[in-house]
Amino acid sequence: MTDIAEQTQNALTRIVAERQSKGRVPGVVGAVARAGKLAWSTGAGSADLESPGVPPTADSQFLIASQSKTLTAVTIMALRDEGKLNLDDTVDKLIPGSKHEGITVRQMLSHASGMQREPVGDVWDLMKFPSRDELVDGWNDAERIGKPHHRFHYSNLVFALLGEIVARIDGRSWYESVKARILDPLEMRRTTVGMDGGPAQTGYYVPPWTDVPVREPLLDIGAMDACGGLASTAEDLAKWAMFVANPVDEVLSKDTIDEMCQVQIMADVDRWQLAFGLGFMLLRRGDRLFVGHDGGMPGHITSTFVHRDSGTAGIALFGSTSSPAPSALATDLVIKVLEDDPLPADPWVPGVDVPAELAGVLGTWFTEGSPFDFTVKNGVLQAKSPAAAEWQSPAVFEKIAEDTYRTVSGRETGELLHITRTPSGTPEKLHWATYLCTRQPLAFSEINPG
């Protein structure tokens, strides 16, 4: 199963065992996925205290709760890409019975709508959740407690409404849509609404003053499934994480996943370590950015986070309501692998040719007094400042007409690059995002001395 070195595997196992022991968690699964598959996993503790000492495995179901939101978000974005909705569409347009006006799909996906967190009625006290028939009326009774985009405010209620939007547009239940669009193509066979009856972790609460766990109930959360109703396994979540790292067009394009991973609102305004994209949590640890989501239900606290740059993911599944931070374990596992046993760098592969029209463009050009090196990689024009950090990607250009290129990624994405040539055909100047680029460094006063 694994291409991770034995020494690193032993270290990962120790990390999981320590979290299980210090956190007093009855059962834990930790896992790492990379290179497109589950690479390592371990279980600690007991899947069920009636059979003590038999730990959960990568095939044990846990309630993944709010991790469900990421699948709801991908389904919404797939409908967007099919032209069936827009991110700036409002709830009252998509659900005509909604009395809340002006709340957009984008605000909903990023928890920037200002709507209250939960359905009305003290649902987590009474353990009574709205049915689909009750959802919209309950939504209308809920408060919009903040201004849009004013501050981050997490809302399970909003994601339940996104599930209703999926169902109405796609003509089938939210789960049927998620299954057909995501679970079946990715072969996530044990990701279900609630437990499927197979191997599973029993959920417990461990009180702070005793060491005697209390068994937690399995809840039917009704129309809230789109925000937190799924159960899954480390094996399935590894497939999901590898899709987030390297998307397949059958589910959603890379461009759209990239869009979902752009910051929409900052959740941690003090240290800027946690933001939200379109349905994804964006967690920064040091120089690394992780994309994923936590989940919490009675008896189950879970997390899956992906370091997309390396295609590596960590999965943390805890069988206790009172668990350590799951995202800390998930990302600790990834960091350990990246630091102790990284995959080898991709080999350099030589290009075949240089497009003739670029021959005179290559080399150093100066703009605003600073140099940029224009190069070709696999026949594609790129540009990067020699002062830029190694981790910064170059600007990449795509030809759209004779001597006209579009910046498709990196610095000035979307802007045009125009090449001006002498009568003999030699490039004499460039205009990139309208800024003049010349072969010699010039002050602004020298560009057009008047």
Side-chain angles (χ1 to χ4, degrees):
M1 179 180 72
T2 182
D3 59 359
I4 296 176
E6 182 177 358
Q7 183 176 359
T8 305
Q9 292 184 57
N10 292 338
L12 296 172
T13 299
R14 287 194 296 272
I15 291 172
V16 173
E18 183 242 2
R19 247 22 98 82
Q20 187 270 341
S21 177
K22 288 188 176 180
R24 303 190 312 142
V25 182
V28 178
V29 168
V32 172
R34 70 172 180 180
K37 65 183 187 301
L38 180 65
W40 169 89
S41 69
T42 191
S46 302
D48 192 300
L49 294 178
E50 293 184 6
S51 301
V54 180
T57 71
D59 189 44
S60 299
Q61 269 195 327
F62 287 71
L63 299 176
I64 64 168
S66 287
Q67 291 194 57
S68 308
K69 291 179 173 69
T70 59
L71 283 82
T72 298
V74 164
T75 306
I76 286 284
M77 296 303 289
L79 293 171
R80 191 284 304 270
D81 286 356
E82 293 168 6
K84 296 177 179 177
L85 60 81
N86 294 306
L87 293 186
D88 293 325
D89 283 344
T90 58
V91 179
D92 47 298
K93 174 184 176 181
L94 300 173
I95 301 179
S98 171
K99 294 180 181 178
H100 290 288
E101 297 181 351
I103 296 175
T104 68
V105 174
R106 183 185 302 277
Q107 293 168 1
M108 298 170 80
L109 288 170
S110 57
H111 298 286
S113 71
M115 286 297 295
Q116 70 179 60
R117 181 182 175 110
E118 305 292 342
V120 296
D122 298 326
V123 294
W124 291 104
D125 182 5
L126 302 174
M127 297 300 178
K128 183 180 184 302
F129 300 88
S131 67
R132 186 176 174 188
D133 290 340
E134 298 168 328
L135 183 62
V136 175
D137 285 344
W139 162 263
N140 289 335
D141 291 338
E143 283 190 285
R144 194 170 191 180
I145 61 173
K147 295 179 289 186
H149 297 286
H150 181 59
R151 62 169 57 91
F152 167 80
H153 186 73
Y154 192 83
S155 178
N156 285 319
L157 174 61
V158 159
F159 263 80
L161 257 289
L162 286 171
E164 179 65 16
I165 288 171
V166 167
R168 294 194 183 198
I169 291 178
D170 221 21
R172 50 189 169 183
S173 73
W174 165 81
Y175 180 70
E176 289 171 334
S177 184
V178 167
K179 186 174 186 300
R181 290 177 173 275
I182 300 173
L183 304 181
D184 289 346
L186 298 183
E187 298 184 349
M188 296 171 65
R189 298 186 178 91
R190 296 204 60 211
T191 301
T192 55
V193 173
M195 300 295 194
D196 66 4
Q201 171 68 44
T202 300
Y204 296 95
Y205 170 65
V206 181
W209 313 124
T210 79
D211 58 359
V212 181
V214 179
R215 188 166 181 150
E216 291 279 31
L218 288 172
L219 302 178
D220 179 354
I221 61 173
M224 305 295 288
D225 284 339
C227 79
L230 292 179
S232 191
T233 67
E235 289 185 358
D236 270 13
L237 291 171
K239 296 173 182 177
W240 173 244
M242 293 298 90
F243 160 74
V244 174
N246 294 293
V248 292
D249 288 342
E250 182 182 1
V251 177
L252 203 63
S253 73
K254 179 182 183 301
D255 284 347
T256 300
I257 289 290
D258 289 347
E259 179 185 358
M260 296 178 73
C261 296
Q262 295 294 313
V263 173
Q264 301 292 318
I265 193 166
M266 191 61 61
D268 172 13
V269 296
D270 295 317
R271 297 192 177 184
W272 286 36
Q273 293 177 339
L274 177 64
F276 267 76
L278 297 171
F280 283 109
M281 297 171 69
L282 310 175
L283 177 64
R284 175 167 294 284
R285 294 197 58 187
D287 292 335
R288 297 185 177 99
L289 179 65
F290 295 87
V291 175
H293 215 287
D294 290 339
M297 286 286 282
H300 300 258
I301 304 295
T302 67
S303 187
T304 300
F305 272 90
V306 185
H307 183 249
R308 297 187 73 215
D309 288 347
S310 67
T312 310
I315 299 161
L317 306 173
F318 291 109
S320 173
T321 306
S322 51
S323 294
S327 58
L329 175 57
T331 53
D332 280 347
L333 296 175
V334 175
I335 291 169
K336 189 65 177 176
V337 170
L338 293 180
E339 293 183 348
D340 288 7
D341 192 21
L343 290 172
D346 293 334
W348 178 77
V349 178
V352 176
D353 57 21
V354 176
E357 67 269 19
L358 295 178
V361 177
L362 306 182
T364 301
W365 294 81
F366 293 85
T367 182
E368 299 183 84
S370 298
F372 279 82
D373 294 333
F374 283 74
T375 60
V376 164
K377 182 178 180 181
N378 295 325
V380 177
L381 182 64
Q382 300 185 347
K384 186 173 182 177
S385 167
E390 184 178 351
W391 56 264
Q392 290 179 295
S393 298
V396 178
F397 303 93
E398 180 181 89
K399 185 176 180 179
I400 61 173
E402 190 68 24
D403 287 336
T404 302
Y405 293 77
R406 179 78 67 184
T407 315
V408 295
S409 65
R411 182 188 178 105
E412 306 295 357
T413 295
E415 297 282 0
L416 292 175
L417 173 73
H418 294 287
I419 302 170
T420 300
R421 299 179 185 269
T422 65
S424 65
T426 301
E428 65 174 347
K429 60 184 177 181
L430 312 177
H431 285 89
W432 183 17
T434 76
Y435 284 87
L436 177 65
C437 303
T438 58
R439 284 298 192 185
Q440 298 297 322
L442 298 175
F444 277 95
S445 60
E446 295 176 290
I447 294 174
N448 186 3

